Amino acid sequence: MISNDPDEFAQAPGAVGDMVGYLSQLVAAKRARPGDDLISDFTIAGDGGNGFTEVEILAIAFALLVAGYETSSNLVCNGTLALLEHPAQLAKLRGQPALIGPAVEEMKRYDGPSTSVVWRFPTEDVEVAGVAIPSGDPVLPLISAANRDPAAFADPDGFDIERTHLDHVSFGYGPHFCVGAALGRLEGSIALPALLARFPNLSLDAPRNELRFRGAFMTRGLFGLPVRW
């Protein structure tokens, strides 16, 4: 569904159909036997015609899976890799656990779980950095590029968990700001300290050039992160 490989584009509609089919079965199962979970809550709220429609429940479940799970798992994985590649920063975080807040923000800036936002279409002719963009032309803003902008960040390619003025755009901006930003920050601030506490001798167990990132549209994550502890 999110591959950026042109050879796989033709498979995307079928993959979306498969996911919708799976989620439809999940919603039906939760409606028949509700549990203590979010999807059950949505189906209950939709009963009686006064709450969510079936299409809305499917859309929410789809968004939770892609925007909620995919991004959070990538944040933990990419953030762990950044720490393992910068031992001084890792040692600093171990010695000062209170730095986890700014550390998560720096992880999202340095190698965040999302590379771009969805397509934008200007409603009138505009010019950006000397480039003319006609009305209606598609524009794909790149989060990763903006977060490495030397005009916005000192030493943009460096990884510093004590960096100040961290006005990154990993959660979007303005009316498009991510509705799940608080949850994403919370997940990172819980998962990463727990990982470091559980594995005090964690280290990378593969050459950096052998790590493979998935070719994906809008998201950035590894196929796997080999470690030893």
Side-chain angles (χ1 to χ4, degrees):
M1 292 187 299
I2 58 176
S3 173
N4 61 8
D5 185 345
D7 294 334
E8 297 180 346
F9 285 175
Q11 303 175 41
V16 173
D18 290 343
M19 183 58 70
V20 171
Y22 166 75
L23 292 175
S24 297
Q25 294 178 7
L26 176 64
V27 170
K30 295 298 183 179
R31 176 171 283 111
R33 299 186 64 181
D36 183 20
D37 60 84
L38 195 57
I39 302 300
S40 294
D41 290 345
F42 285 133
T43 60
I44 294 171
D47 291 342
N50 297 318
F52 297 107
T53 66
E54 191 77 6
V55 171
E56 288 172 335
I57 295 173
L58 289 174
I60 293 171
F62 205 108
L64 287 172
L65 182 63
V66 178
Y69 170 77
E70 177 76 15
T71 53
S72 296
S73 60
N74 288 347
L75 168 62
V76 173
C77 193
N78 297 357
T80 299
L81 175 60
L83 289 172
L84 295 180
E85 287 193 299
H86 298 83
Q89 298 296 310
L90 175 57
K92 187 182 297 183
L93 182 57
R94 287 191 183 280
Q96 304 178 64
L99 287 175
I100 187 58
V104 168
E105 300 302 312
E106 175 68 344
M107 290 170 189
K108 295 189 72 66
R109 183 205 68 82
Y110 178 77
D111 193 8
S114 301
T115 57
S116 68
V117 298
V118 296
W119 294 98
R120 304 282 194 245
F121 299 87
T123 57
E124 59 185 30
D125 294 346
V126 295
E127 184 175 303
V128 178
V131 178
I133 304 176
S135 173
D137 269 18
V139 177
L140 187 64
L142 298 180
I143 293 174
S144 298
N147 285 340
R148 294 288 187 100
D149 185 355
F153 305 99
D155 186 22
D157 295 328
F159 179 68
D160 181 5
I161 64 172
E162 292 187 286
R163 183 186 295 273
T164 57
H165 307 296
L166 256 173
D167 296 326
H168 62 73
V169 291
S170 295
F171 288 119
Y173 183 78
H176 301 287
F177 192 77
C178 176
V179 69
L183 177 60
R185 285 171 166 143
L186 181 64
E187 289 172 326
S189 67
I190 292 174
L192 288 157
L195 179 70
L196 298 181
R198 176 66 179 83
F199 302 109
N201 298 314
L202 194 68
S203 62
L204 193 60
D205 194 32
R208 179 62 168 82
N209 59 5
E210 291 183 7
L211 299 181
R212 295 177 57 220
F213 281 87
R214 298 195 304 275
F217 175 65
M218 293 178 60
T219 66
R220 175 172 168 80
L222 288 158
F223 279 105
L225 181 63
V227 295
R228 64 172 61 236
W229 61 84

